[in-house]
Structures are given as C-alpha cells and as structure tokens.
Amino acid sequence: MKINFEHNQSAHCENGVVSNLLNYNGLKVSEPMVFGIASGVFFIYIPFIKVNFAPMFSFRPVPGFIFSRVSKRLGFKIKRHKFKSTEKAQQTLDAELSKNNPVGLQVGVYNLSYFPDEYRFHFNAHNLVVYGKEGDDYLISDPVMPEVTTLSSKELEKVRFAKGPFAPNGHIYYPTQLPNDVDLKKAITKGIKQAYRHMLAPVPVVGFRGIRYVAKRIRKWPDKIGVKKTNHYLGQLVRMQEEIGTGGGGFRFIFAAFLQEASVVMENPRLAELSKEMTVIGDQWRDFAIDASRLYKNRSKETDAYNKIADKLDAIALAERAFFLDLKKAVK
Amino acid sequence: MKKEDVPQDESSLSKANIREVVYAVDKYGKYGKALSSGWDAKTIALDKSLELIEEQLQEAIRKIKQGELSPIAYYMELQRMDIVVLSGYVGFWQWKVKRHLKAKTFKKLSERTLKKYAEAFEISLEELKNPTI
C-alpha cells in the first residue's frame, strides 16, 4: 500500500515533516513559513550539559516545539502516541497507514542505514514520514534526503526504539482536524513576537546575550582549558551552526526566507528589508565558521587569534540585538 | 548567502550522493532552496570530532590491555555510545553501568547481565568476553 505523498527535500527534518504533512492534508505552507511561525530562530548556551564532550550550543528550540507551536498558532490538533511495546507501536503505525494517513515518526539516527557512517550518532530527535508499506518494507520520506527510501520493519523498529537522551519510544504523530480557514497573519505575528522575545530575553545564556556570553568564554578558554579543548568546543559550535538541517548560518537563512515570505502575506515591506539584514547576519555567522575552522585546523597557539574570533562573535551579538529590536518595532 | 556562493566542497554526504538543502538568494534577491554538496569549514569540524572518538577508543583499548577497563568500555566507544546511552539500551542504572566498565567488576558479572550487554551491542557472548583488540 502506498499513499500518494509528496516528498519535498528540506533543510531541517522537523520543519520538513511538518510542512510535508500539512501539504498532504491540504494546507500549503513552506518550510521557512513553518519555521517562522514556530519562532524557530534561537540561541542558547548550556555549559553544564555536555554533548560529545563539549558544552551544548543550540540555534533552535527543543525538538518537538516546532510542530506544537505551529499547531497552536494555525489552529489544528496533533495526535501523538508513545509506546512501551514494540508490537503495539507497529500495529498503530500499520493501522494509520491503512487509513491512508501518512504519519510522522521520531527516530534515532544511529541505526538509520541510509545515512553515511560519519553522520551516525546517538541523536534521537530526528523526524521522518512513513507513507506506505510494501511487503515488509516501510516507505520512508526523510525530509533531509533527496529522494524517498525504505526501511524494513526490523530496521524501523530499531530506530523507533533507540535509547538514550530524547529516546523516541516509538513516538508517532499526525495532524487531525485541520481548520477550513487559517489566519496566517495572526500566526506570523505570534511567531515573530516570540522570536524577538526569546532573542532579547534578559537571560545571560539565551539570545543575543547568550552569543555575547560565549564570546566572553572563548577569550578565556585557551588559558583555562587549553587550546585543544577550546578547539573542540569551537568545532562543536560550528557543527551545531552549520550541520545538515540548519539551512546554513545557524538557521538564520531560513529565518530570512521566512521574513521575505511574511512580508508579502503581511503586506509589510519593512519585513523584506529586515530579511536582507538577517541575510547579512547569516553571512557573518558563516564568516565566523570559516575563521573558527582555520583555528582548529592549524591549532594556532596565539591567544590573539581567539580574541579575534571572539570579536566577530561579539559583533554578531550586537547585530542580532539591533535586528530583533527593529523586528519588534516592525510588527507593532 | 547568494546562490552562487553556496559551497560545493566534497564531503561524506557528497560521497554518498546526498546533497543537502540550504537557503540562499538568487540574483533578484529572492530566497529559495539551493543544494550544497558540502562545506570544508564544517567537514573539518566533523572530522575533528570523529578523531576525538577514535582517540577515546584507543584510550579504552589501552586501559583494557592494562587490566583497568572491561571489554564493555571498548564496545561502548566503538558504537559511539556513552554511559547514558548504554544505560538506556541495557536497562541498568548509570552508576551500575559505570561499575561494569571496570575489569574487576566485569569478571564477577552473571551470564544474564553479560547477555544484556551482548544484546545491546548486537554481538555474541564470546565476542563480549574476548574482544579482538
């Protein structure tokens, strides 16, 4: 059985699943639109949570927030199930497919056989869509992949029941009761408001203050924890910023694309100008990544080099502060 | 980022014939999807973090040979796990898993406990007890 589901490759898995599932259900929203309505643009530094032996940096909200925010703001419901039993998980999936309902699944990346080996980590908040079953094979639309693919029932069970942080427990979800009329303008305004509120939040490790905080740390790291560890931390920051799923520049380009689209919907030319400014900020992030990669490639011993990239990060923090203050004015 | 500036460097993704989506502007300033085969700046970051994993694996092997750590430590590193992830797969508390990493404790483990580790790593009991390192 195969549901007539349109696979659109996207930058980020969660945006992509949401956008593709909504499109199937008759609500055309692009990936940047999903991202913007969900206030996806973000920054947080969590020094005490270590991922891969480095502190956690994130340019996006917690996995799962994008779908729930979009559903709240566009006014539809999401049905979610989690399971203890693998059999029940498969039964529920099969039942939904037989009702011609493509569903989203949360999965672990480590056992996804179609990913290159270099990308197989124990990261459990990946998302994909199952849109059918042929024999023992499930038809898979993984939004970060160029084409659709398949996974055997055994393979799918493994990734649905991956263990560790964010363990999916067979998590399956799909939208129900889509509204006839969607107030896109209202949803966009809400998305923008939460975005600037978070980016301007009076919390030292969040938003532009978080970026500034990291810049401050970078100046101290070489003396405090040594060059090797500093480079590893910088590598982690660059990966979180640029790795597959971000659309480049720590999600800043997706957000800029959203603003451009929003400016048409809202008939607000100011948003189109701000989109251009966000593009410049995204380019600044890319510059920062290039400089950081030079550092950890050449293992530069001079601390001045670290001060220089910290200066770059400080400039980005300032630019984002000014940007989100302007954005606040633009939607008033 | 302009569409013509989207990096097309070689990467592990391009080797697997995958190109990833990024967002970029065309010459009229309009945003859209563009495909990138990879970017050296981030490939280096990924390579460095894989190097670190390899270093840790070698460190574990060294400590097993010295009789300090148990083979569980080797398979844990080999499969890129940490104590949190491994504890999820075997269903033991983290402090327990931590103890099982010690060679001394490992010797005293019951068959049933060992079996859980073997299943988590998808290897045989024999492989668990005598890793080829």
Side-chain angles (χ1 to χ4, degrees):
Chain A
M1 154 218 10
K2 185 176 175 180
I3 302 168
N4 192 10
F5 181 81
E6 193 186 336
H7 171 83
N8 274 310
Q9 191 184 2
S10 38
H12 186 250
C13 66
E14 195 178 347
N15 300 334
V17 164
V18 175
S19 162
N20 286 343
L21 280 179
L22 290 180
N23 281 347
Y24 174 81
N25 287 289
L27 189 59
K28 299 271 174 225
V29 274
S30 68
E31 175 184 15
M33 199 40 100
V34 166
F35 182 79
I37 290 174
S39 320
V41 69
F42 193 51
F43 185 85
I44 190 167
Y45 168 58
I46 314 177
F48 51 85
I49 296 185
K50 294 280 195 285
V51 183
N52 192 19
F53 314 104
M56 193 168 132
F57 310 93
S58 186
F59 289 80
R60 50 167 270 192
V62 178
F65 270 35
I66 289 189
F67 205 1
S68 47
R69 284 178 186 165
V70 168
S71 78
K72 224 196 262 161
R73 288 169 194 169
L74 288 180
F76 62 87
K77 292 243 157 54
I78 310 172
K79 191 105 185 135
R80 294 176 186 277
H81 301 279
K82 285 194 177 188
F83 306 89
K84 281 212 171 104
S85 133
T86 52
E87 289 89 38
K88 279 228 175 86
Q90 192 177 351
Q91 280 165 14
T92 308
L93 171 62
D94 289 348
E96 285 309 319
L97 292 176
S98 65
K99 281 189 259 174
N100 241 347
N101 187 21
V103 291
L105 291 183
Q106 184 196 336
V107 297
V109 168
Y110 186 74
N111 281 307
L112 276 182
S113 41
Y114 53 79
F115 263 35
D117 203 37
E118 288 86 341
Y119 279 88
R120 293 179 53 214
F121 291 98
H122 293 275
F123 171 70
N124 286 333
H126 187 58
N127 293 276
L128 48 78
V129 172
V130 182
Y131 69 98
K133 190 180 185 185
E134 279 168 356
D136 189 47
D137 282 341
Y138 284 96
L139 309 179
I140 306 289
S141 154
D142 186 325
V144 303
M145 299 294 286
E147 303 292 338
V148 291
T149 168
T150 59
L151 286 172
S152 72
S153 59
K154 185 101 191 103
E155 287 174 317
L156 190 61
E157 183 185 306
K158 236 186 196 174
V159 293
R160 290 182 78 189
F161 285 89
K163 297 292 194 299
F166 293 112
N169 294 317
H171 188 184
I172 175 172
Y173 55 87
Y174 48 90
T176 55
Q177 299 175 351
L178 261 74
N180 299 326
D181 287 311
V182 170
D183 192 347
L184 206 52
K185 281 187 180 176
K186 210 172 138 197
I188 289 172
T189 310
K190 279 199 169 161
I192 289 179
K193 282 191 171 164
Q194 195 183 30
Y196 70 65
R197 242 182 264 133
H198 283 176
M199 288 304 295
L200 299 170
V203 183
V205 294
V206 170
F208 84 89
R209 287 185 176 86
I211 301 167
R212 210 165 57 185
Y213 191 86
V214 172
K216 226 188 249 170
R217 304 307 300 158
I218 290 175
R219 294 178 205 279
K220 290 191 178 150
W221 277 337
D223 287 334
K224 235 179 147 182
I225 56 174
V227 171
K228 195 179 167 197
K229 236 180 176 177
T230 306
N231 287 347
H232 178 59
Y233 286 9
L234 283 176
Q236 175 100 331
L237 178 59
V238 169
R239 281 183 59 210
M240 291 304 119
Q241 178 194 321
E242 294 299 336
E243 220 17 287
I244 185 164
T246 62
F251 297 92
R252 268 51 182 169
F253 296 126
I254 304 187
F255 193 67
F258 156 72
L259 288 175
Q260 194 174 67
E261 223 184 304
S263 132
V264 179
V265 179
M266 306 287 285
E267 292 157 17
N268 182 348
R270 184 74 188 112
L271 292 181
E273 288 163 30
L274 284 167
S275 164
K276 280 182 201 154
E277 283 179 31
M278 187 89 278
T279 306
V280 174
I281 292 175
D283 289 334
Q284 276 178 280
W285 279 108
R286 302 279 284 188
D287 264 357
F288 168 77
I290 293 174
D291 287 1
S293 73
R294 276 198 197 117
L295 269 183
Y296 49 69
K297 194 179 175 187
N298 303 328
R299 296 212 169 166
S300 166
K301 289 273 186 302
E302 43 166 345
T303 38
D304 199 41
Y306 292 93
N307 277 329
K308 269 185 199 150
I309 63 162
D311 288 345
K312 275 212 164 154
L313 214 48
D314 268 333
I316 293 174
L318 266 182
E320 293 212 343
R321 177 175 178 268
F323 172 88
F324 285 102
L325 285 171
D326 282 349
L327 187 61
K328 189 175 177 179
K329 278 183 214 140
V331 290
K332 244 184 194 154
Chain B
M1 183 164 50
K2 293 193 182 106
K3 279 201 170 146
E4 62 260 33
D5 294 336
V6 170
Q8 304 295 350
D9 301 335
E10 195 175 276
S11 71
S12 57
L13 285 176
S14 67
K15 278 177 212 148
N17 255 330
I18 301 170
R19 289 193 296 162
E20 63 176 300
V21 168
V22 296
Y23 280 82
V25 289
D26 64 16
K27 56 183 171 193
Y28 307 106
K30 192 165 165 34
Y31 259 103
K33 289 180 196 176
L35 291 171
S36 167
S37 60
W39 190 29
D40 284 344
K42 68 176 191 182
T43 302
I44 300 165
L46 181 61
D47 288 349
K48 288 280 166 192
S49 98
L50 292 173
E51 261 172 43
L52 187 83
I53 290 172
E54 182 58 30
E55 266 174 42
Q56 305 240 319
L57 180 66
Q58 294 308 324
E59 178 76 5
I61 291 175
R62 200 175 58 78
K63 283 188 174 163
I64 292 166
K65 286 183 175 160
Q66 284 174 351
E68 201 178 315
L69 289 181
S70 77
I72 293 174
Y74 167 71
Y75 286 108
M76 180 176 89
E77 295 292 347
L78 187 68
Q79 305 204 3
R80 296 180 186 169
M81 294 181 177
D82 57 16
I83 289 169
V84 183
V85 173
L86 181 55
S87 121
Y89 275 100
V90 289
F92 297 138
W93 294 97
Q94 287 176 34
W95 60 268
K96 246 184 158 176
V97 173
K98 225 182 227 172
R99 285 190 61 231
H100 296 168
L101 295 181
K102 290 185 185 137
K104 256 190 193 160
T105 323
F106 183 76
K107 278 180 205 144
K108 293 180 208 151
L109 291 182
S110 68
E111 287 282 298
R112 232 182 93 204
T113 307
L114 290 175
K115 230 181 186 164
K116 285 213 170 155
Y117 280 103
E119 273 167 24
F121 296 131
E122 299 183 319
I123 51 174
S124 67
L125 266 181
E126 187 47 38
E127 283 172 299
L128 180 65
K129 284 180 194 162
N130 300 304
T132 39
I133 51 176

